[in-house]
Amino acid sequence: MSEEEKKKPAAKAKKEKPPAVEDKPFPEFIENHYIPAVKKALEEEGITDLDVALVKAKFPPSLQIAEDCWQVTGSWQGGARKFNIYFPQEDIKGQKFFSWAANGTQPSAIEGFLGDERRITLDLLVFGVVQRLNAQKWLALN
């Protein structure tokens, strides 16, 4: 070993970054991160009786799609207000859809949800729900 090599400090080991929560398996991400974050965000908007769950179910009958897909379902006011986020590919980065319904009716429309976004993050997915419900004038501050 030369004198110069002896004087150089040893290179520090690079710390490995933990994987992003968005890279976790789909059910784990939804159950452990997304649902709690949606509940918290909507509670901050004044919704106190919110029920949110991950279910595997069919699309609304109006779409005439027979397959089941993963859905995040939310409801409050005794079920009078409901929303669904559909994940046909079991992947938060894949295609997603959003629907809402009031007073026990079936959703009349299903819209694309965050389809133009390049990078899907937990915060963006939560923001998308709050934004859609706010557009319906369903949040306390409207």
Side-chain angles (χ1 to χ4, degrees), residues 1-9:
M1 198 182 268
S2 71
E3 276 304 309
E4 209 170 286
E5 289 175 326
K6 290 179 184 176
K7 290 180 182 177
K8 282 187 180 178

Side-chain angles (χ1 to χ4, degrees), residues 73-95:
T73 62
S75 66
W76 69 99
Q77 292 183 350
R81 292 189 172 175
K82 298 179 183 181
F83 69 88
N84 286 42
I85 304 162
Y86 306 88
F87 296 90
Q89 287 98 25
E90 192 176 325
D91 180 2
I92 65 166
K93 296 170 185 141
Q95 198 172 27

Side-chain angles (χ1 to χ4, degrees), residues 12-82:
K12 291 183 181 179
K14 207 175 195 183
K15 287 186 181 178
E16 281 193 40
K17 262 183 149 178
V21 295
E22 294 86 1
D23 294 332
K24 292 188 176 184
F26 179 81
E28 180 183 345
F29 170 79
I30 297 293
E31 294 281 351
N32 297 339
H33 301 284
Y34 186 56
I35 289 175
V38 167
K39 285 182 177 180
K40 181 180 179 200
L42 293 179
E43 284 171 2
E44 289 172 358
E45 295 290 336
I47 297 172
T48 57
D49 64 337
L50 180 65
D51 182 35
V52 182
L54 175 64
V55 299
K56 195 154 195 177
K58 296 197 181 314
F59 282 95
S62 62
L63 286 182
Q64 299 176 350
I65 297 174
E67 303 110 37
D68 288 353
C69 79
W70 285 108
Q71 301 175 33
V72 172
T73 62
S75 66
W76 69 99
Q77 292 183 350
R81 292 189 172 175
K82 298 179 183 181

Side-chain angles (χ1 to χ4, degrees), residues 102-121:
N103 302 318
T105 62
Q106 289 293 320
S108 59
I110 294 183
E111 308 164 350
F113 184 66
L114 302 174
D116 295 337
E117 303 301 325
R118 292 179 60 178
R119 186 165 182 261
I120 299 297
T121 65

